[in-house]
């Protein structure tokens, strides 16, 4: 466990165990659905929060708001407050008198620290809009922890119960109203921005709090990946498509590899052979452990298939580049080395480290964020494995002794028949996607109206548009960002006209 | 206490006491803000729930839904369910295949029984629209009580905490989705209808759940009477205007009467004199007790100033009709007798009986429904009495040991700058009002857009448009209802066209 001190890992042991139990007997792929979030925190990149916090710009000022624990309940306990962190950057703000805008980044399932540097869209456009920048941390992450400590907050369902999206966007509403009041910025339009789960929050925030946000940029937000609106196979179909487009033979090798792993695993000492061949840090307890690890690597490579490196191409170069006589598993291992780098050993539990994000998102999945990702049929390069809601519910019960509410997201936020419903309701949301992002299969890819628009790129990956712009950015990415800025500019022009004509 | 058995009144004694304490030393007028609801349950009418339930039509079928206690929390307790009552009438429904519409009445701060007969709009228009009718009871009222019994549910803030509008409209969302699924009526558009507080719920439901309701008829919904959006004096200014329009001398007599009551009250035996002159059932404990009673009577007369009787006119006829030599208080008493009828005695606590509505609404006021109704200045026919939030909070704390959240309604639902905000967001809400209704001072009286429209009548009173149509209805009321039906018809035509063109 090279990232964690023993004491830390022991502290989380009780959380870890059920997952281990699970993964020793069946595939955990479905339970550990590919992670959301603008950046890979797996093998592709690994920003250390500590490092990030040192890089804080001098323009960033940190504040804490006394946030209400439960906005939708009036039990005495509901009135408890916790310190919610938000960070502001006034450098380019045109001020309240001018009604200059506010760009608000809505935090997602991670501490805010990383986002302050990895979410470039706000900073890259602050000067052009004379915008005040505010980044708000999601409850139960980072420094915004109720009940005094992460240990207390994460203890059980009784303290975790307040940890959900409706409470989170109500937090954002309260913080934004507080800030606007404090700055006398009542006329400053707010644009909320988020990526992945945070992109869902941004679009939902505009829908639920139009009186607080003028518009939303929802980047790579799979708001349709709930309650069987989008097909469960969507995610892995796109992973497959990405690899097949990169290389047909690479695709065929991966497709072949699973049964080959099973064949060897079934031998006496099969798991020892596999452990050796893949240099696993710990002796494999089941073939699923290896298959889930590779599954996660291919998924992350596709989801974060960013220029200029394009991880999918990297994996396939590794697989295809092996010497002629290399067998299937040899080629798969070559692909692993190509993307993960030469290591003394490969930790198949790498994607299940009990990080804040892993543990926080696991709770969110087990309460309301039930994304039924699976692959029932044979159409992908993965082994068929339908999403099994009952098993999912069983795992959640074993972890928290409460059941998910798989229909709540569509009840509260909608999603079904979205065009029919929102064509004549709501406005000012950009749903941005990259079609190579597996999560785009749950995204909005069609304009709903003149002001509810889908902006996507054929070659884009997860949340690419809100990452910092770079010299090396391909033209299609530059154009996507330009279009998003133009659309937001249009919303504001309309708003300022309405404001001027207000009686 | 002619309406309540001793045992009943004793059961509620603990709830009553604080109000009594309050009214013995200062005016309780502000705390007992004029009641909402489509019908006067005070002196003007008094439908006995028992009587009503006998009048249930054979077309009404009653159902119960296992409702989630807390939609926004995942504590184990939040998963508790309670039986929520809803009533359906299939008589005129065109069926799911035809996508025939559903009219949904959203229950308010009373048991559903009364509304089934007093809300005429649904039944009166069912045949014309081939509509299914559904009436849903508000949590914590009637037969929709969590925690097994009213006594348990109303015990303290820990059980009352779940009793609020956000939970209530989430209940309605769950019930409507359940019913549509059960009936395979996914394509049937839902129109939600409500009056007064229920009208607020209807407009808020369309704003928060557009994927469940195509449109809303919000009758006499004072959604702007929060957080100082509308002036606090609005309500009593209109009461005053109503009386002044009915009769200048009547208005002057009432205006004069308060100081006259004070003058006599200040005498030795003053309260005995007043008790005798007004035939109060109990000896007056303070002049406020009498003044609050008269205040409530004038307020109800104005709020429910319905054709054909027009209670305000009745009161003023009484006041003006007294023989020439009658003094001011004599005339006031004449007015009381005219509206309340000849009684052996007049119960000044009549408006504070601990009915379900009185106790339920008192909690709702003390948690989120803080309508700051007062009259700071001298412009009305009442004595100046500014709304005092601090005192209000103190009373709520003494009753429930929790404080109201006076800014929550505007944070969650908005209201400020409503035209600027909603002009380019949302659609399909009718805000209907009668300008003689004091609560219209907190209503939406101006079109926000082509589909967010204000429909009001100069002579209308509270919720008049959704009461059953009658032969005696004046032309302006007939026209108002006709216009509302035309608008709803327009929404549906658009919807069915969209549905047909759906890819």
């Amino acid at each position: 466990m090279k990232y964690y001190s023993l004491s830390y890992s022991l502290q989380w042991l009780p959380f870890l165990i059920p997952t281990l139990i699970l993964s020793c007997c069946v595939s955990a792929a479905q339970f550990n659905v590919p992670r959301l979030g603008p950046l890979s925190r797996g093998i592709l990149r690994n920003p250390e929060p500590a490092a990030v916090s040192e890089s804080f710009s001098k323009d960033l000022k940190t504040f804490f708001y006394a946030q209400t624990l439960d906005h939708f309940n009036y039990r005495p306990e509901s009135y408890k407050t916790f310190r919610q962190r938000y960070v502001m950057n006034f450098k380019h703000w045109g001020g309240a008198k001018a009604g200059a805008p506010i760009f608000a980044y809505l935090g997602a399932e991670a501490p805010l620290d990383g986002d302050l540097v990895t979410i470039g869209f706000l900073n890259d456009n602050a000067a052009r809009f004379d915008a005040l920048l505010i980044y708000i941390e999601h409850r139960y992450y980072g420094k915004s922890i109720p009940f005094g400590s992460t240990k207390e907050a994460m203890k059980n369902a009784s303290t975790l119960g307040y940890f959900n999206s409706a409470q989170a966007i109500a937090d954002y509403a309260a913080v934004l109203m507080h800030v606007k009041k404090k700055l006398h910025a009542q006329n400053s339009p707010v644009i909320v921005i988020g990526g992945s789960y945070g992109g869902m929050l941004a679009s939902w925030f505009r829908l639920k709090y139009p009186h607080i946000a003028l518009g939303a940029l929802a980047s790579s937000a799979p708001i349709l990946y709930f309650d069987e609106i989008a097909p469960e196979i969507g995610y892995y179909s796109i992973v497959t498509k990405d690899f097949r487009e990169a290389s047909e033979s690479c695709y065929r090798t991966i497709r072949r590899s699973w049964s080959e792993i099973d064949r060897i695993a079934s031998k006496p000492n099969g798991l020892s052979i596999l452990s050796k061949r893949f240099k696993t840090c710990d002796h494999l307890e089941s073939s699923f452990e290896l298959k889930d690890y590779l599954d996660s690597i291919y998924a992350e490579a596709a989801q974060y298939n960013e220029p200029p490196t394009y991880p999918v191409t990297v994996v396939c170069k590794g697989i295809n580049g092996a010497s002629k006589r290399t067998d299937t598993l040899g080629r798969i291992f070559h692909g692993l080395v190509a993307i993960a780098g030469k290591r003394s050993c490969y930790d198949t539990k790498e994607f299940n480290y009990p990080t804040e994000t892993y543990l926080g998102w696991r709770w969110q999945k087990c309460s309301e964020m039930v994304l039924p990702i699976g692959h029932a049929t044979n159409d992908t390069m993965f082994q068929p494995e339908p999403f099994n809601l009952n098993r999912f519910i069983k795992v959640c019960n074993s972890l928290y002794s409460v059941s998910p509410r798989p229909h709540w997201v569509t009840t509260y936020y909608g999603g079904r028949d979205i065009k029919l419903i929102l064509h004549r309701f709501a406005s000012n949301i950009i749903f941005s996607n990259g079609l190579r992002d597996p999560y785009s299969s749950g995204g909005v890819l069609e304009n709903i109206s003149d002001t509810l628009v889908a902006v996507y790129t054929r070659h884009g990956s997860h949340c690419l548009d809100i990452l910092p712009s770079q010299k090396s950015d391909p033209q299609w990415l530059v154009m996507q960002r330009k279009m998003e800025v133009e659309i937001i500019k249009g919303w504001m022009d309309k708003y300022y006209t309405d404001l001027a004509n207000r009686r």
Side-chain angles (χ1 to χ4, degrees), chain A residues 343-361:
Chain A
R343 296 184 187 176
S344 57
C345 72
Y346 294 87
D347 184 351
T348 56
K349 299 182 186 63
E350 186 173 355
F351 293 94
N352 303 328
Y353 288 145
T355 60
E356 269 195 77
T357 292
Y358 176 83
L359 295 171
W361 187 246

Side-chain angles (χ1 to χ4, degrees), chain A residues 109-139:
Chain A
E109 76 283 22
L112 193 61
D113 311 79
D115 300 327
L116 291 169
V117 288
T118 58
I119 303 304
F121 189 92
L122 287 79
N123 219 348
D124 292 345
N125 294 291
R128 150 165 207 167
F129 285 91
D130 306 328
L132 168 64
L133 308 182
I134 175 166
Y135 306 76
I136 316 175
E137 190 163 63
H138 192 293
R139 56 167 55 196

Side-chain angles (χ1 to χ4, degrees), chain A residues 161-365:
Chain A
Y162 308 83
F163 182 3
N164 59 67
S165 65
Q167 300 282 358
I169 61 175
D171 292 341
Y172 298 146
V175 168
L176 288 168
M177 287 190 85
H178 165 74
V179 166
K180 289 187 79 172
K181 192 172 180 187
K182 215 178 54 179
L183 300 174
H184 309 289
Q186 271 72 9
N187 291 344
S188 292
V190 173
I191 304 296
V192 290
I193 295 141
S196 203
Y197 164 58
M200 300 199 246
L201 296 179
S203 66
W204 292 335
F205 190 87
R206 169 59 180 166
L207 289 175
K208 297 293 191 197
Y209 298 90
H211 48 286
I212 299 177
L214 174 67
L217 170 56
S219 175
S220 300
I223 59 168
L224 306 182
Y225 222 131
F226 292 96
D227 217 0
E228 297 165 342
I229 298 173
E232 72 166 73
I233 199 171
Y235 186 96
Y236 281 101
S237 313
I238 293 184
V239 176
T240 302
K241 193 173 125 297
D242 290 353
F243 276 83
R244 195 164 196 173
E245 276 176 16
S247 155
E248 179 73 23
S249 67
C250 172
Y251 152 82
R252 268 193 263 97
T253 309
I254 295 169
R255 183 173 187 131
R256 222 175 20 237
S257 64
W258 312 110
S259 53
E260 184 62 12
I261 292 171
D262 292 337
R263 194 180 60 77
I264 294 176
S266 65
K267 292 184 178 178
N269 290 335
L271 291 175
S272 307
I273 299 168
L274 290 171
S275 302
K276 276 206 202 60
R277 289 208 62 177
F278 284 88
K279 286 195 177 174
T280 61
C281 297
D282 307 312
H283 185 275
L284 290 169
E285 293 167 34
S286 83
S287 64
F288 287 115
E289 208 179 310
L290 176 61
K291 289 194 289 184
D292 290 347
Y293 179 58
L294 293 169
D295 178 303
S296 299
I297 283 177
Y298 301 140
E300 288 237 335
Q303 188 168 319
Y304 302 104
N305 193 27
E306 299 167 11
T309 50
Y310 295 107
V312 169
T313 317
V314 173
V315 174
C316 283
K317 276 211 176 106
I319 288 175
N320 298 338
S323 61
K324 259 209 156 17
R325 289 191 328 290
T326 319
D327 69 357
T328 299
L329 293 195
R331 291 182 178 280
I332 296 299
F333 182 65
H334 265 267
L336 171 59
V337 174
I339 190 68
K342 272 203 178 346
R343 296 184 187 176
S344 57
C345 72
Y346 294 87
D347 184 351
T348 56
K349 299 182 186 63
E350 186 173 355
F351 293 94
N352 303 328
Y353 288 145
T355 60
E356 269 195 77
T357 292
Y358 176 83
L359 295 171
W361 187 246
R362 191 176 67 179
W363 161 260
Q364 294 194 259
K365 283 185 295 180

Side-chain angles (χ1 to χ4, degrees), chain A residues 466-492:
Chain A
I466 59 171
L467 300 187
S469 59
Q470 295 170 8
K471 294 245 171 312
S472 62
D473 290 332
Q475 193 53 21
W476 51 262
L477 176 55
V478 175
M479 291 308 298
Q480 180 186 29
R481 291 188 180 128
K482 194 166 178 302
M483 184 182 286
E484 289 166 4
V485 167
E486 288 307 321
I487 292 166
I488 293 169
K489 181 86 172 45
W491 298 342
M492 290 192 180

Side-chain angles (χ1 to χ4, degrees), chain A residues 190-192 202-218 418-419 421-431 447-454 487-488 490-492 494-495 498:
Chain A
V190 173
I191 304 296
V192 290
S203 66
W204 292 335
F205 190 87
R206 169 59 180 166
L207 289 175
K208 297 293 191 197
Y209 298 90
H211 48 286
I212 299 177
L214 174 67
L217 170 56
I418 191 166
K419 188 166 186 178
I421 300 297
L422 295 186
H423 175 58
R424 300 185 192 278
F425 184 94
S427 58
N428 299 0
I429 303 176
I430 298 171
F431 297 96
N447 289 352
I448 292 168
S449 69
D450 297 349
T451 60
L452 297 171
V453 294
I487 292 166
I488 293 169
W491 298 342
M492 290 192 180
K494 272 211 189 94
Y495 168 80
D498 292 346

Side-chain angles (χ1 to χ4, degrees), chain A residues 11 70 143 240 247 318:
Chain A
Q11 176 193 345
D70 194 333
K143 296 187 158 50
T240 302
S247 155

Side-chain angles (χ1 to χ4, degrees), chain A residues 79 157 259 360 369 458-459:
Chain A
Y79 284 79
S259 53
M369 290 296 148
R458 256 189 66 234
H459 303 300

